[in-house]
């Protein structure tokens, strides 16, 4: 690390001459307390600047050094430090010494500050030894020990002419001349205002943006149970709002929170309604995030034409929860008192106000409406904005984009620049200061007092280094807090209050930050989202296009498209970046569920079907698994020319039902197998699902063969009947002819009937002209004498 060429910015004791002067001036102060209170060995240790051997990195032993009370050190004040040693190993650490060192040079720019707090492995320049405190007992396994260390002001070598600004402090645990653990921190040397060098301190104008979001979900709406938990006394939303309300912080609110409370109507939890009213009364600047905190850059890079927004919330709105309240009756005055404003007998009687019959169900615009300070700000994920994203943002009316430092290139990294960046085409970028934002985020997430004090010291130094390096020029910077709110984060208000107490800090608004002059030495540097994230997001965007095409066949398309849009927005939320595995699982579940929707209208007929006529109607059964009616156009295409299919058939399938349609077909030439490809289309022409194949066996000549066989059977049947009649007639005639011949032979032979037996004449031999016999002829003759 090279010394700062500007001697005015160096600490009081960087050179030999100043070291000698300071030693001569402060020798009595240094030697007297050391010799009076310490043993000879201890005094020697405290005054000796020695070298120690650094042990190999041991992750089981950690040391943390933080300012004891405040990160600001004034003139003639002792430096109070808190050193915490944590032993996660299985063996005890022998009692050793805690050495405290001061950086040799002042930290005059952000690069020096970052290098001090994040040193390289081979950087062992910890500075001059200020004091050494022995441990009274070993550090036991799985335990922590905190040691309070006080460095007298005389030993620091900081005087009223020492330039104010950040200073580096380091501490190490030494056992047997070996460094077991070490840590670094900072404090800000800030003497009285009258003694400042230079005497004028120009505060840094710092705008702070805080997103108010909820844990990631995959539906795009927050349930009533979750809202009740989030807005409870210790809930996530309550703690976020408590930390920033009426403080100099711009609130970036997720519109999903507002819509989720309002869509519940009268069933919304009381705590949620109270929370929303508090937000409405807040004096903070408020601007909206993307719905469900969806990342606009991820959506555009995935193929969307611009940032996505909800299309409807009617599917989640229960009209019975928005019935207007009945008018309350005015009570009659007690004791017969007369209301002076009441109508007299000559006036018409008062008619009570009737409830309105108008539809009181709020629209999407009413559910999302809010009195925002600005609606032209886009806040994508950190370091992931591409060049094409800016044009898409501008087309959607988002002309100001909050950027992380990775999305810009700075000509001189040691030069502090303004937060505004010209993005072209009347588009503006507000760049968040990396060091300040990181320190503030760490302070907010701190779980212990030591952690919080350490991060506050870093935050104080990050702002002070800008103010000290530019004493005559006011700089405007931006700090942003990240998304994702862990349950343990409870120091937001404490951090903001500590920030407000810094003399070199001045709060400002995002509007004022955007109005500052544009930096000329900062340019936009395009970045992209991770390729894996873009691939998954592209599948969500493509699937939505399929859902929209499919919905044109539905009686109520919004009942399908609106929920999917909300779920897609929820899955594009930036909060998923902290849990990539869970995000991939949620996207997979979404794609599987939407696939079932696309396959909800199907053809259930499978075949085979036999076609034995030249013209027949083939029945095809269609199923609708959705809860609403579907209008489809059925197109049937044969695989070969054996069948000719008629025109497409339109059908309306009721909700959760099946319907059979008849498709007219005509047999052409030849017999054989035919595959019918059945495709369903929406009225708009969009294809619904995958085509279905139905196997058909064509036997068109069976009709002619069957007719001929039937005709032959008819001919045979009637021919056999005629033949049988002819045969019977011939046989009867032959029998009759035989009988006649026998009768003639009997007459010719004179055959006489036996006595007493009358002989009847043969009716065939009787005269046909003879009269029929009478009753007298039937009387038998009288017997002879």
């Amino acid at each position: 690390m090279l010394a700062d060429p500007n001697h005015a910015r160096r600490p009081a004791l960087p050179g030999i001459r100043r070291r000698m002067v300071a030693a001569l001036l402060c020798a009595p102060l240094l030697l007297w307390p050391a010799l009076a209170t310490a043993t000879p060995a201890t005094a020697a240790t405290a005054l000796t600047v020695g070298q120690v051997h650094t042990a190999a990195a041991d992750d089981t032993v950690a040391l943390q050094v933080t300012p004891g009370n405040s990160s600001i050190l004034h003139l003639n004040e002792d430096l109070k430090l808190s050193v915490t040693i944590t032993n996660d190993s299985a063996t005890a650490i022998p009692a050793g010494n805690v050495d405290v060192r001061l950086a040799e040079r002042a930290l005059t720019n952000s690069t020096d500050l970052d290098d001090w707090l994040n040193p390289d492995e081979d950087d062992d320049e910890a500075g001059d030894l200020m004091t050494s405190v022995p441990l009274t007992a070993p550090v036991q396994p799985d335990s922590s020990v905190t040691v309070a260390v006080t460095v007298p002001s005389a030993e620091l070598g900081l005087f009223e002419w020492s330039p104010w600004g950040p200073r580096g402090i380091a501490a190490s645990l030494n056992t047997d001349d070996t460094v077991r653990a070490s840590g670094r921190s900072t404090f800000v040397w800030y003497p009285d205002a009258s003694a400042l060098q230079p005497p004028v301190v120009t505060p840094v104008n710092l705008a702070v943006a805080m997103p108010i979001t909820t844990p990631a979900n995959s539906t795009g709406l927050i349930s009533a149970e979750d809202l009740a938990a989030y807005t409870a006394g210790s809930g996530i939303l309550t703690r976020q709002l408590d930390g920033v309300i009426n403080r100099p912080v711009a609130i970036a609110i997720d519109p999903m929170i507002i819509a989720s409370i309002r869509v519940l109507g009268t069933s919304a939890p009381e705590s949620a309604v109270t929370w929303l009213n508090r937000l409405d009364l807040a004096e903070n600047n408020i601007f909206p995030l993307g719905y469900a905190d969806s990342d606009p850059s991820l959506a555009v890079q995935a193929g969307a034409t611009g940032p996505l927004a909800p299309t409807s919330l009617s599917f989640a709105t229960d009209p019975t929860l928005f019935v207007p309240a009945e008018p309350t009756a005015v009570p009659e005055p007690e004791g017969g008192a007369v209301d002076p404003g009441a109508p007299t007998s000559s006036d018409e009687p008062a008619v009570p106000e009737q409830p309105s019959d108008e539809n009181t169900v709020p629209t999407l615009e009413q559910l999302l409406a809010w009195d925002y300070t600005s609606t032209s700000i886009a806040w994508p994920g950190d370091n992931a904005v591409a060049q094409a994203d800016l044009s898409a943002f501008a087309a959607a009316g988002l002309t100001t984009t909050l950027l992380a430092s990775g999305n810009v290139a700075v000509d001189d990294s040691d030069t502090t620049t303004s937060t505004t960046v010209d993005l072209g085409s009347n588009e503006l970028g507000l760049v968040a200061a990396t060091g300040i934002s990181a320190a503030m985020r760490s302070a907010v997430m701190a779980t212990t007092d030591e952690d919080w004090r350490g991060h506050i010291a870093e935050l104080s130094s990050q702002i002070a280094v800008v103010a000290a390096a530019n004493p005559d020029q006011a700089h405007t910077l931006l700090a942003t807090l990240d998304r994702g709110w862990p349950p343990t984060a409870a120091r937001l208000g404490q951090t903001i209050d500590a920030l407000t107490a810094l003399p070199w800090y001045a709060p400002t608004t995002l509007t004022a930050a955007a109005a500052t002059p544009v930096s000329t030495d900062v340019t936009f540097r395009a970045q992209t989202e991770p390729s894996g994230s873009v691939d998954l997001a592209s599948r969500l965007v493509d699937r939505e296009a399929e859902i929209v095409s499919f919905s044109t066949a539905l009686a109520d398309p919004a009942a399908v498209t609106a929920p999917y849009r909300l779920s897609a927005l929820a899955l594009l939320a930036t909060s998923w970046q902290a849990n990539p595995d869970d995000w991939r699982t949620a996207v997979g579940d979404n794609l599987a569920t939407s696939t079932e929707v696309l396959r909800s209208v199907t053809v259930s007929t499978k075949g085979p079907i036999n076609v034995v006529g030249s013209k027949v109607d083939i029945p095809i059964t269609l199923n609708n698994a959705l809860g609403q009616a579907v209008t489809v156009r059925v197109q049937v295409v044969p695989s070969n020319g054996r069948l000719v299919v008629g025109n497409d058939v339109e059908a309306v399938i009721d909700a959760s039902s099946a319907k059979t349609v008849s498709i007219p077909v005509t047999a052409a030439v030849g017999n054989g197998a035919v595959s019918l490809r059945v495709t369903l289309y929406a009225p708009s022409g969009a294809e619904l699902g995958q085509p279905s194949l139905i196997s058909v066996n064509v036997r068109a000549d069976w009709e002619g063969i069957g007719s001929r066989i039937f005709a032959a059977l008819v001919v045979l049947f009637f021919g056999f009947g005629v033949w049988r009649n002819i045969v019977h007639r011939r046989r009867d005639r032959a029998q009759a002819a035989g009988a006649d011949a026998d009768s003639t032979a009997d007459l010719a032979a004179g055959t006489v009937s036996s006595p007493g037996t009358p002989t009847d004449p043969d009716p065939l031999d009787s005269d046909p002209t003879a009269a029929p016999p009478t009753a007298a002829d039937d009387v038998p003759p009288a017997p002879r004498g």
Side-chain angles (χ1 to χ4, degrees):
M1 183 181 296
L2 298 177
D4 195 333
N6 188 346
H7 293 275
R9 297 182 183 179
R10 295 187 184 182
L13 306 175
I16 298 176
R17 182 176 300 175
R18 291 192 179 184
R19 289 176 184 267
M20 294 176 61
V21 173
L24 293 176
L25 292 176
C26 301
L29 297 176
L30 291 174
L31 295 177
W32 174 255
L35 296 175
T37 60
T39 63
T42 305
T45 304
L47 296 176
T48 301
V49 179
Q51 296 294 330
V52 295
H53 300 284
T54 302
D58 187 0
D59 295 336
T60 61
V61 181
L63 184 146
Q64 183 181 25
V65 55
T66 61
N69 297 323
S70 173
S71 61
I72 304 175
L73 183 65
H74 297 283
L75 186 64
N76 297 325
E77 284 186 352
D78 296 337
L79 177 62
K80 298 182 180 299
L81 302 175
S82 176
V83 179
T84 301
I85 302 169
T86 303
N87 181 16
D88 291 332
S89 65
T91 60
I93 300 176
N97 295 325
V98 175
D99 294 345
V100 176
R101 299 173 181 271
L102 180 67
E104 294 181 356
R105 296 193 302 271
L107 307 176
T108 57
N109 55 60
S110 298
T111 301
D112 292 344
L113 180 59
D114 294 338
D115 291 343
W116 173 259
L117 294 174
N118 302 286
D120 297 333
E121 295 181 359
D122 55 351
D123 185 5
D124 57 355
E125 296 181 3
D128 297 333
L129 181 64
M130 296 290 102
T131 186
S132 181
V133 178
L135 293 180
T136 58
V139 182
Q140 299 300 321
D142 298 323
S143 63
S144 297
V145 174
T146 299
V147 180
V149 179
T150 299
V151 181
S153 61
E155 296 185 13
L156 293 173
L158 297 175
F159 304 99
E160 60 183 8
W161 62 80
S162 301
W164 82 278
R167 297 293 194 275
I169 196 76
S172 61
L173 172 62
N174 304 307
T175 58
D176 300 330
D177 294 333
T178 301
V179 177
R180 297 295 303 273
S182 62
R184 296 188 177 190
S185 184
T186 61
F187 67 92
V188 178
W189 168 246
Y190 188 79
D192 296 336
S194 60
L196 286 180
Q197 298 294 329
V200 178
V201 175
T202 304
V204 175
N205 298 317
L206 183 65
V208 180
M210 162 69 186
I212 291 185
T213 59
T214 55
N217 66 65
S218 58
T219 60
L221 282 174
I222 308 173
S223 65
E225 294 77 10
D226 288 341
L227 282 173
Y230 295 160
T231 56
S234 60
I236 296 174
L237 291 177
T238 299
R239 287 189 283 115
Q240 291 183 73
L241 188 57
D242 289 345
V244 298
I245 190 168
N246 297 334
R247 287 186 168 96
V249 179
I251 296 177
I253 184 68
D254 181 359
M256 178 182 67
I257 301 173
I258 300 173
S260 297
I261 297 175
R262 288 176 173 172
V263 79
L264 294 175
T266 56
S267 67
E270 183 178 356
S271 61
V273 176
T274 302
W275 184 91
L276 196 61
N277 291 334
R278 288 185 62 203
L279 180 65
D280 186 32
L281 298 176
E283 299 176 358
N284 306 65
N285 288 348
I286 302 177
F287 67 94
L289 295 167
Y291 187 92
D293 193 21
S294 58
D295 189 345
S297 287
L298 182 58
V300 174
Q301 294 176 31
T305 57
L308 300 179
T311 57
S312 175
L313 288 173
S314 59
F315 71 94
T317 306
D318 185 358
T320 61
L321 302 177
F322 298 91
V323 177
E326 295 289 342
T328 57
V330 179
E332 296 181 358
E334 298 179 359
V338 179
D339 185 1
T344 60
S345 58
S346 60
D347 298 330
E348 295 183 0
V351 179
E353 183 180 356
Q354 300 296 326
S356 175
D357 294 334
E358 297 181 359
N359 185 11
T360 58
V361 176
T363 63
L364 175 64
E365 291 73 16
Q366 292 172 332
L367 292 174
L368 296 176
W370 196 264
D371 186 16
Y372 292 113
T373 306
S374 174
T375 58
S376 61
I377 300 176
W379 193 352
D382 291 346
N383 305 320
V385 181
Q387 186 67 50
D389 301 347
L390 301 176
S391 301
F393 297 168
L398 304 175
T399 56
T400 302
T401 304
L402 301 188
L403 300 172
S405 59
N407 259 131
V408 295
V410 183
D411 295 341
D412 186 0
S413 59
D414 292 337
T415 302
T416 303
T417 59
S418 178
T419 188
T420 54
V421 178
D422 185 9
L423 301 178
S425 302
N426 295 324
E427 300 171 28
L428 186 68
L430 296 179
V431 183
T434 304
I436 297 176
S437 297
M440 185 178 296
R441 295 179 182 187
S442 299
V444 168
M445 304 300 178
T447 57
T448 64
D449 291 339
E450 290 78 8
D451 288 340
W452 182 78
R453 287 197 302 267
H455 296 307
I456 285 296
E458 180 182 354
L459 175 61
S460 175
S461 297
Q462 291 284 357
I463 303 175
V465 76
V466 177
N470 303 273
D472 299 328
Q473 181 181 4
H475 277 80
T476 300
L477 302 179
L478 170 66
T480 58
L481 296 172
D482 56 354
R483 275 85 156 193
W485 198 260
T488 57
R491 298 180 183 269
L492 177 59
Q494 186 180 5
T495 301
I496 300 300
D497 293 342
L499 184 67
T500 307
L502 299 178
W504 46 88
Y505 157 81
T508 189
T509 63
L510 277 180
T511 304
T516 57
V518 176
S519 300
T520 58
D521 55 350
V522 178
T523 56
F524 175 77
R525 181 170 62 183
Q527 300 284 357
T528 57
E529 299 277 357
S531 58
S533 300
V534 175
D535 291 341
L536 281 179
S538 298
R539 297 180 62 183
L540 291 174
V541 174
D542 295 342
R543 178 54 54 87
E544 183 179 21
E546 297 176 11
I547 291 289
V548 171
S549 298
F550 172 84
S551 66
T552 58
L554 308 181
D556 183 13
V560 173
T561 58
Y564 186 85
R565 170 58 68 86
L566 289 189
S567 63
L569 287 168
L571 291 174
L572 295 175
T574 57
S575 54
W576 285 106
Q577 296 176 0
N579 302 289
D581 294 337
D582 294 342
W583 182 59
R584 284 190 290 269
T585 301
V587 172
D589 294 341
N590 177 275
L591 295 175
T593 302
S594 58
T595 299
E596 295 179 0
V597 173
L598 295 175
R599 295 177 179 176
S600 57
V601 181
T602 57
V603 178
S604 60
T605 302
K606 302 300 181 182
I609 298 176
N610 295 319
V611 175
V612 297
S614 59
K615 293 184 178 182
V616 297
D617 290 338
I618 295 180
I620 296 179
T621 302
L622 309 177
N623 287 332
N624 176 20
L626 293 176
Q628 59 174 303
V630 178
T631 301
V632 298
R633 175 170 56 87
V634 185
Q635 183 187 79
V636 180
V637 178
S639 60
N640 53 54
R642 292 188 178 96
L643 284 180
V644 178
V645 182
N647 297 328
D648 298 347
V649 176
E650 291 190 359
V652 177
I653 313 172
D654 294 333
S656 303
S657 63
K659 184 174 185 178
T660 300
V661 296
S662 297
I663 305 298
V665 299
T666 302
V669 180
N671 301 322
V674 179
S675 293
L676 298 180
R677 186 183 66 183
V678 182
T679 307
L680 304 181
Y681 291 93
S684 63
E687 184 175 341
L688 305 181
Q690 297 295 326
S692 300
L693 296 179
I694 301 176
S695 59
V696 177
N697 296 321
V698 180
R699 295 293 181 265
D701 55 350
W702 285 12
E703 182 179 12
I705 295 174
S707 300
R708 290 192 292 271
I709 292 175
F710 179 76
L713 292 175
V714 171
V715 171
L716 290 175
F717 177 77
F718 285 104
F720 176 76
V722 173
W723 174 79
R724 188 181 64 175
N725 289 339
I726 293 174
V727 171
H728 284 179
R729 287 181 179 274
R730 288 180 178 178
R731 185 177 60 189
D732 291 344
R733 289 177 180 176
Q735 291 176 354
D740 290 343
D742 293 340
S743 177
T744 302
D746 290 340
L747 292 176
T751 302
V752 182
S753 302
S754 60
T757 302
T759 302
D760 296 331
D762 188 353
L764 298 175
D765 295 338
S766 62
D767 187 0
T769 61
T774 62
D777 295 336
D778 295 334
V779 178
R784 295 180 179 178

